[in-house]
C-alpha cells in the first residue's frame, strides 16, 4: 500500500492479518461499544441484528458509554479543538478489551485512527444529505423549504459546516448553535416560546429513528455539501483481533467504502474534523454489471461567517480491483484537497484554529 492511512481504513488489510494467525477456536460472544444517545443505541442495535443474522449461534451485548462530546453541551463544536470528541472513551474501552467493536457514526470518527485500530466495516450508507426540520408552528404556516422561511427566521444547528454554507446562500436568515441529542433539539424547536423556526439535521439520523415525518425538506448538493462520511456507520475494532475482523467483513459495503475513503482522504489532507466547515459530495458511475468504474468527488471549505466558499471537484477511474480502487479514492481526496488549498483553503482553516478555545483532550 502507498499509504498507512488506507491500511487503517480498509478491510482488505485484514487478509494479511488473518493468514499469519494460527487456527484457534473462534470466539462466539462479542461486546459492542457505543455512545448512549438514543440514535447511537439504535445504530448499535441495527449492527447487532445484522451480526446475529450472520451468526445465529453467537451472542452479542451492547455496552453504552458517555463521551466528552456528550458532556460538554455549553460550547459550540466549532470552538472545541478536539478531533475525537465523540470517540475517545469508546476507543479506550476498545484498546483495553472492555468492548470488541465500536459502532460510530462515520462522520464522528477521526481520519487517523489510534495505533492498532482499524475500520472493520463501513455499512451501506443512508442518504447522506442534510434535512430541514421546520417547527410545528412554522409547518402550520406552510413553510417547507429553506427558501420559504421569512427574513429573520432563526435556524438552529450544531454544525459549523451547515451554518457556514447556508449563511452564504441565505443571508436573510439567522443561524444559531443548538446542542443536545435529537430529542432535546426537537423539543427546543417545538417549544411554544422557543426561538427556532427550523433546525438543520442529518437525514440519516432522523430516518434511523423513524422520524421521517419531521423532515420538511432535504437539501440538494448544489445548496449544501454534506459532512465527510455522513450517513454511514464505521465499525472500529482492534487490528489484531482476528475473530472480530472476520465477524465484521460481511457488513462492509464496497460502494460506501470507496466513496467514504475519498471523502476521508480529503478531510485528512486538510487536517479537518467534525468542527471544521468541510463539505463533500461523492458519486459513483457503474458499468453494465453494476461495478463502479468512476468516482467523482466534490469538496468545499467555507469561512465560518459564510463570506467565502471554495468548491472544487475531480474524478478518478476505478478498475474493480480492491486495493487499486481504494488507492485511487485516496489519491482523489488528496487531489481535491490540493485544488482547494490552491484557492486559499489553508488560510481559512488556520483562521478557524486560531479562534478556538483550548482543546478538551
Amino acid at each position: 500500500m502507498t499509504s498507512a492511512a488506507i491500511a487503517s481504513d480498509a478491510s482488505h488489510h485484514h487478509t494479511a492479518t488473518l493468514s499469519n494467525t494460527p487456527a484457534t477456536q473462534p470466539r462466539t460472544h462479542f461486546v459492542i461499544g457505543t455512545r448512549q444517545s438514543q440514535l447511537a443505541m439504535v445504530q448499535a442495535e441495527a449492527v447487532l441484528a445484522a451480526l446475529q443474522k450472520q451468526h445465529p449461534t453467537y451472542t452479542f451485548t451492547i455496552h453504552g458509554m458517555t463521551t466528552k462530546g456528550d458532556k460538554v453541551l455549553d460550547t459550540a463544536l466549532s470552538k472545541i479543538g478536539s478531533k475525537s470528541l465523540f470517540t475517545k472513551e469508546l476507543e479506550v474501552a476498545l484498546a483495553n478489551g472492555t468492548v470488541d467493536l465500536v459502532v460510530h457514526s462515520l462522520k464522528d470518527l477521526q481520519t487517523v485512527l489510534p495505533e492498532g485500530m482499524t475500520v472493520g466495516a463501513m455499512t451501506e450508507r443512508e442518504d447522506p444529505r442534510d434535512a430541514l426540520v421546520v417547527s410545528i408552528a412554522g409547518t402550520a404556516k406552510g413553510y417547507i423549504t429553506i427558501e420559504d422561511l421569512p427574513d429573520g427566521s432563526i435556524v438552529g444547528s450544531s454544525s459549523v459546516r451547515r451554518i457556514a454554507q447556508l449563511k452564504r446562500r441565505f443571508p436573510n436568515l439567522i443561524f444559531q448553535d443548538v446542542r443536545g441529542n435529537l430529542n432535546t433539539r426537537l423539543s427546543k424547536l417545538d417549544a411554544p416560546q422557543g426561538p427556532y423556526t427550523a433546525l438543520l439535521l442529518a437525514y440519516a439520523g432522523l430516518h434511523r429513528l423513524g422520524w421521517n415525518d419531521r423532515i420538511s425538506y432535504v437539501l440538494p448538493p448544489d445548496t449544501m455539501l454534506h459532512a465527510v462520511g455522513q450517513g454511514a456507520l464505521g465499525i472500529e475494532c482492534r487490528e489484531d483481533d482476528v475473530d472480530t475482523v472476520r465477524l465484521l467483513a460481511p457488513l462492509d459495503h464496497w460502494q460506501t467504502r470507496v466513496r467514504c475513503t475519498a471523502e476521508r482522504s480529503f478531510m485528512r489532507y486538510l487536517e479537518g474534523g467534525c468542527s471544521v466547515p468541510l463539505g463533500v459530495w461523492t458519486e459513483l458511475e457503474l458499468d453494465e454489471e453494476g461495478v463502479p468504474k468512476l468516482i467523482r468527488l466534490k469538496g468545499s471549505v467555507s469561512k465560518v461567517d459564510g463570506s467565502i466558499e471554495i468548491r472544487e471537484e475531480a474524478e478518478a477511474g476505478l478498475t474493480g480491483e480492491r486495493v487499486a480502487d481504494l488507492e485511487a479514492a485516496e489519491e482523489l481526496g488528496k487531489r481535491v484537497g490540493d485544488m482547494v488549498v490552491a484557492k486559499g483553503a489553508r488560510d481559512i482553516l488556520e483562521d478557524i484554529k486560531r479562534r478556538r478555545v483550548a482543546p478538551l483532550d
Side-chain angles (χ1 to χ4, degrees):
M1 300 296 296
T2 58
S3 165
I6 304 177
S8 75
D9 248 11
S11 57
H12 73 264
H13 182 65
H14 304 148
T15 312
T17 314
L18 296 177
S19 60
N20 298 333
T21 309
T24 55
Q25 197 64 30
R27 292 202 313 285
T28 59
H29 178 71
F30 296 85
V31 181
I32 300 168
T34 182
R35 290 166 62 193
Q36 281 183 317
S37 74
Q38 183 184 2
L39 176 59
M41 284 291 186
V42 165
Q43 291 174 171
E45 284 160 8
V47 169
L48 187 155
L51 291 171
Q52 195 77 75
K53 189 175 178 182
Q54 292 271 347
H55 301 280
T57 62
Y58 287 12
T59 55
F60 303 93
T61 54
I62 292 175
H63 180 69
M65 299 177 66
T66 302
T67 67
K68 198 160 288 184
D70 297 310
K71 295 173 187 169
V72 182
L73 296 176
D74 57 351
T75 306
L77 291 177
S78 59
K79 298 281 201 294
I80 303 170
S82 171
K83 293 183 185 174
S84 53
L85 269 182
F86 296 107
T87 62
K88 192 169 185 178
E89 290 81 357
L90 295 164
E91 288 178 327
V92 168
L94 186 58
N96 67 26
T98 302
V99 302
D100 301 300
L101 56 129
V102 176
V103 179
H104 303 280
S105 290
L106 187 60
K107 68 177 180 179
D108 292 336
L109 188 59
Q110 66 271 31
T111 56
V112 178
L113 300 184
E115 189 69 31
M117 301 300 171
T118 188
V119 181
M122 293 185 192
T123 63
E124 183 170 3
R125 123 191 269 177
E126 293 279 2
D127 187 330
R129 293 176 297 171
D130 295 292
L132 184 75
V133 178
V134 176
S135 67
I136 291 170
T139 302
K141 293 175 183 171
Y143 307 154
I144 297 172
T145 71
I146 196 161
E147 289 84 0
D148 294 337
L149 303 182
D151 290 2
S153 295
I154 296 177
V155 180
S157 175
S158 64
S159 163
V160 66
R161 168 190 57 84
R162 292 176 183 136
I163 293 173
Q165 290 188 60
L166 292 182
K167 264 185 182 176
R168 182 168 180 77
R169 290 168 178 79
F170 301 96
N172 60 314
L173 302 177
I174 298 167
F175 295 93
Q176 284 187 9
D177 189 72
V178 58
R179 297 285 312 280
N181 61 37
L182 286 180
N183 279 319
T184 303
R185 286 187 243 177
L186 288 172
S187 64
K188 287 179 182 177
L189 173 68
D190 293 327
Q193 305 306 316
Y196 303 104
T197 305
L199 298 180
L200 294 163
L201 299 164
Y203 169 91
L206 293 161
H207 177 67
R208 287 186 180 122
L209 288 170
W211 296 344
N212 287 54
D213 59 327
R214 289 308 309 260
I215 297 171
S216 308
Y217 177 65
V218 180
L219 283 78
D222 57 348
T223 300
M224 180 148 67
L225 301 183
H226 61 72
V228 167
Q230 188 157 296
L233 303 180
I235 311 177
E236 190 178 12
C237 65
R238 296 181 293 276
E239 219 167 26
D240 61 359
D241 181 354
V242 179
D243 293 330
T244 303
V245 165
R246 188 182 286 123
L247 180 82
L248 294 178
L251 271 56
D252 194 56
H253 185 254
W254 177 239
Q255 293 187 16
T256 300
R257 172 75 70 167
V258 174
R259 289 171 62 191
C260 291
T261 295
E263 294 173 16
R264 285 167 65 77
S265 171
F266 173 71
M267 179 183 273
R268 189 186 298 115
Y269 185 86
L270 295 170
E271 299 177 354
C274 64
S275 59
V276 172
L278 302 182
V280 291
W281 178 262
T282 44
E283 295 169 329
L284 294 174
E285 285 187 15
L286 311 180
D287 64 16
E288 308 78 54
E289 279 84 50
V291 177
K293 64 178 183 179
L294 184 140
I295 178 170
R296 186 174 296 108
L297 169 67
K298 297 178 184 178
S300 74
V301 177
S302 304
K303 281 198 79 162
V304 174
D305 65 5
S307 61
I308 297 173
E309 182 186 45
I310 301 168
R311 269 198 195 201
E312 291 291 341
E313 67 177 278
E315 57 189 41
L318 301 173
T319 64
E321 203 281 311
R322 189 176 180 91
V323 174
D325 284 354
L326 288 173
E327 287 186 346
E330 178 82 15
E331 287 304 314
L332 178 62
K334 291 178 187 172
R335 184 147 43 100
V336 177
D338 248 341
M339 292 164 74
V340 296
V341 166
K343 296 276 186 73
R346 201 65 84 183
D347 295 339
I348 294 174
L349 297 175
E350 288 303 320
D351 184 56
I352 290 167
K353 283 180 189 172
R354 281 195 297 273
R355 294 169 188 269
R356 282 191 183 136
V357 296
L360 291 177
D361 289 338

